[in-house]
Amino acid sequence: MNATPFAALARYGIVWVTLALFLVLAITTDGFLTGPNLRNVLDQQATLLIAASVATLTMIAGGFDVSISAVAVAAPLVALRIENATGSVILALLAGCAFGLLVGAVNGSVVSFAKINSFITTLATSFIVFGIGFLVSDRSIMRPESEEYRDIARTRVAELTTATWISLGVVAIAWITLSATRFGRHVYATGGNIEAAKLAGIRTGRIIVLVFALSGLAAGLAGVVASSRSISATPSDDFSFVFGVIAAIVVGGTSIAGGNGAVWRTLLGALFIAFMVNGFNLHQIDPIWQRIIQGVVILVAVAADAWSRNRRT
């Protein structure tokens, strides 16, 4: 009798804490519950949501993709190189996404067929991709030649930026793909027990390649959108973007062990962190303390996941 309420609380815990945080900030923080502020929060989270919603599939399948940062850095450099050369925004967008798709497919193939740990694989390819970014850009900041490139992320439709609309579209596609398709069921099975999935006739190698390829595609798109918003792209070897992506996925409640999670959880995890940071900024909390608190929140989320899994075994 007591298990059912507890199970429901555990399953939807991210819903309750996100709602509670939203209500607390709405009541206690001037300027939080306003249209401009909430639209700004959504716009700021757009690129993270694009990458995190699809990376959720990778983690559920048992993979760990740290090359997301490298792809998000290098893909817009590739896109801008094409845009500068051809003047075509469509070709630039396709080039950036194709670059991410290719990197993801390579990652998935190495993990699936060479049987190398996904963290090690994507860490190694990250350095390669960062290097490609420096070569493509000739180690300099790149900027678009046309106004149309800037419109990819900065146009407003119904008061929301196109970056926000793109992110919501990607979230919806990833959500439906995971929860309502045969492919999604195979992703869960692969991450839950890969040997059992193989015995059930699931082509787990293909599933792994596909989830990594899709993760790379989403990271490439996120990078292009980010460069459109900032009207530039800079070569670097900064891993910070993937940390934000992983934080959103983990805080949302997707298991780092694979086999369990959901895109809607990642969406709420990203919003929870975004609301928390927005509240910190509105209250002018020292950035150092912001980092400490965010770290504690992520640690608690991972500990809760581990405790929940141990309780079920």
Side-chain angles (χ1 to χ4, degrees), residues 189-269:
T190 299
N193 189 324
I194 192 168
E195 295 303 325
K198 288 178 181 178
L199 292 174
I202 296 173
R203 302 180 68 173
T204 56
R206 178 178 292 183
I207 296 297
I208 291 171
V209 172
L210 284 174
V211 294
F212 274 97
L214 291 173
S215 178
L217 172 62
L221 176 59
V224 173
V225 169
S227 68
S228 172
R229 180 196 289 149
S230 63
I231 324 177
S232 66
T234 305
S236 74
D237 53 2
D238 182 8
F239 279 94
S240 60
F241 183 61
V242 72
F243 296 150
V245 168
I246 293 172
I249 297 172
V250 171
V251 169
T254 291
S255 174
I256 58 176
N260 185 36
V263 174
W264 66 264
R265 289 183 170 279
T266 297
L267 172 63
L268 289 177

Side-chain angles (χ1 to χ4, degrees), residues 159-185:
E159 298 190 356
L160 297 178
T161 63
T162 42
T164 299
W165 286 114
I166 291 170
S167 70
L168 294 177
V170 172
V171 168
I173 292 170
W175 190 339
I176 293 169
T177 299
L178 183 61
S179 63
T181 68
R182 183 181 180 186
F183 173 72
R185 293 192 294 274

Side-chain angles (χ1 to χ4, degrees), residues 53-78:
S53 60
V54 182
T56 302
L57 277 68
T58 307
M59 190 171 289
I60 291 174
F64 207 85
D65 188 359
V66 296
S67 70
I68 289 172
S69 281
V71 173
V73 167
L77 295 169
V78 172

